């Protein structure tokens, strides 16, 4: 497997793990609101979420190092996404 393939596969896997962590936080929050118990607490799920965010951030940084993405383009994309979120969501 070449370096590019490995980088992109691991990035895809990490994004999938972040998706799962987001889902688990929502489920744990719902369980705790209904006073039901699961294997992990909401706090533990939040720590898992932070770890997965860090893993994805690491992979983004590696993609930048390898020249796949440019920080200026990423910053511009973030600005554009924030503008869309201002219009279409209540997050900003």
């Amino acid at each position: 497997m070449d370096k590019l393939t490995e980088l992109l596969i691991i990035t895809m896997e990490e994004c999938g793990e972040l998706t799962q962590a987001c889902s688990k936080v929502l489920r744990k929050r719902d369980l705790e609101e209904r006073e039901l118990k699961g294997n992990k607490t909401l706090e533990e799920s939040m720590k898992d979420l932070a770890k997965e965010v860090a893993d994805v951030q690491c992979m983004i940084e590696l993609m930048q190092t390898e020249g796949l993405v440019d920080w200026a383009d990423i910053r511009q994309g973030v600005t554009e996404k924030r503008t869309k979120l201002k219009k279409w969501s209540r997050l900003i």
Side-chain angles (χ1 to χ4, degrees):
M1 175 182 319
D2 67 4
K3 191 172 186 177
L4 175 62
T5 301
E6 183 177 12
L7 175 59
L8 293 177
I9 287 173
I10 293 171
T11 300
M12 290 185 289
E13 291 170 349
E14 293 300 345
C15 288
E17 290 173 14
L18 176 57
T19 299
Q20 289 179 335
C22 290
S23 178
K24 288 178 182 179
V25 166
L26 291 174
R27 285 198 317 255
K28 292 301 175 182
R29 183 188 65 179
D30 181 56
L31 287 175
E32 288 194 4
E33 286 175 359
R34 294 187 295 150
E35 297 182 7
L36 300 172
K37 301 298 178 198
N39 292 336
K40 287 189 176 183
T41 65
L42 178 58
E43 183 179 335
E44 291 169 325
S45 293
M46 295 290 286
K47 287 181 183 179
D48 290 344
L49 176 65
K51 179 204 171 296
E52 297 306 336
V53 168
D55 289 350
V56 169
Q57 181 66 37
C58 175
M59 299 313 296
I60 292 168
E61 290 174 7
L62 287 171
M63 286 192 287
Q64 188 277 329
T65 299
E66 291 299 315
L68 293 176
V69 295
D70 180 74
W71 284 125
D73 293 337
I74 291 172
R75 283 191 298 276
Q76 180 180 348
V78 167
T79 299
E80 291 170 4
K81 183 62 175 181
R82 286 180 164 272
T83 299
K84 288 179 185 177
L85 288 170
K86 284 179 187 177
K87 181 176 181 179
W88 299 106
S89 81
R90 292 176 278 154
L91 295 174
I92 298 176

